[in-house]
Amino acid sequence: MAAQSSASSCAAATLAPSLDAGCTLDSMTDTVCGGGGDSTSITQGEALDVILVRPADGEDHSAHVSCSDFVVQFSHYKSAGRVQVCVNNHDVPELAMKYHTNKKQCRFIKGNTTKPDKTALNAVLLIARDDDKPVLSLHYTLFDDDSDTVLATAASSLFIWNHNDSVVVCDIDGTITKSNARGALATM
C-alpha cells in the first residue's frame, strides 16, 4: 500500500459535516442527511479504546513503543471489506485494516493481527506530537471492496501514556485490584 499524506481526507471526517440536526440516531444506525433531502443509512460498528505507551525520551522509538489491541467489529456485514483508520481526522495508511467476516472482526493488513506494527505506531506518535493531546480520536470506516461505498463506521479513543505513568486498576465496584493488574498490562 502506498504511503499517503497524513493530511489526506478521512472518510469519517467527510461524513461528519453532512449530519443534519433533523437526522435521527438510534443505537444501530446513523442516518447521514445530504443537502438534497436524500439520506444514506450507515451502520455503526463497535470499537474498544486503545492505549499506546510512549517510550522514554532518548530511547529508540521503533523498538519500545507498544499498545493494546485495536478491537473493531462490524457484526452486521456478511462480506469482507477494507477499513480506513483515521487518527484525529488524519488518514494513517499504515493502520489500514481488513474486515474478516468469519470472525466479524478487523485485522491490520500488515501482519494480519489486531496490533499494528512499529511503523504504524510511530506514525500515530507523530500525529500525537503534532496535535499535542493525550487523548486522540480514532475513526474506522468500512468500505465495500468493489464499489468504495461506505458501509459502516466506528469510533473510539486512543490514550497516549508515557512509559512512567502511574496506573490504578479498579474493578467495576470500585475496589482496587492487585492480582489482575499484571494480566491487564501484559496485553500491551
Side-chain angles (χ1 to χ4, degrees), residues 13-166:
T14 304
L15 292 172
S18 65
L19 287 173
D20 184 358
C23 294
T24 60
L25 175 69
D26 65 48
S27 63
M28 295 305 291
T29 306
D30 272 338
T31 304
V32 180
C33 298
D38 59 340
S39 65
T40 305
S41 182
I42 298 177
T43 302
Q44 284 296 114
E46 299 168 345
L48 295 181
D49 290 340
V50 177
I51 298 170
L52 188 145
V53 179
R54 186 187 330 227
D57 289 336
E59 283 190 28
D60 177 18
H61 288 285
S62 62
H64 298 316
V65 65
S66 62
C67 71
S68 58
D69 290 339
F70 282 61
V71 179
V72 185
Q73 297 180 350
F74 299 106
S75 56
H76 298 287
Y77 284 94
K78 309 259 187 285
S79 60
R82 65 180 178 81
V83 178
Q84 177 189 40
V85 181
C86 295
V87 177
N88 275 11
N89 295 327
H90 297 280
D91 180 20
V92 183
E94 296 89 348
L95 290 176
M97 300 179 97
K98 185 82 172 166
Y99 172 62
H100 295 273
T101 55
N102 56 343
K103 295 184 180 183
K104 298 196 183 310
Q105 186 181 66
C106 297
R107 294 185 163 274
F108 289 100
I109 292 172
K110 192 171 181 182
N112 194 28
T113 69
T114 56
K115 283 192 189 246
D117 66 4
K118 302 297 182 188
T119 305
L121 292 177
N122 284 323
V124 172
L125 283 175
L126 286 174
I127 293 171
R129 185 193 68 199
D130 292 345
D131 289 355
D132 195 30
K133 296 177 184 172
V135 180
L136 306 176
S137 63
L138 285 171
H139 292 280
Y140 306 90
T141 307
L142 174 63
F143 290 92
D144 180 74
D145 272 338
D146 299 325
S147 66
D148 272 351
T149 302
V150 175
L151 301 174
T153 63
S156 67
S157 295
L158 179 112
F159 297 91
I160 307 289
W161 290 357
N162 289 314
H163 74 286
N164 58 353
D165 283 347
S166 298

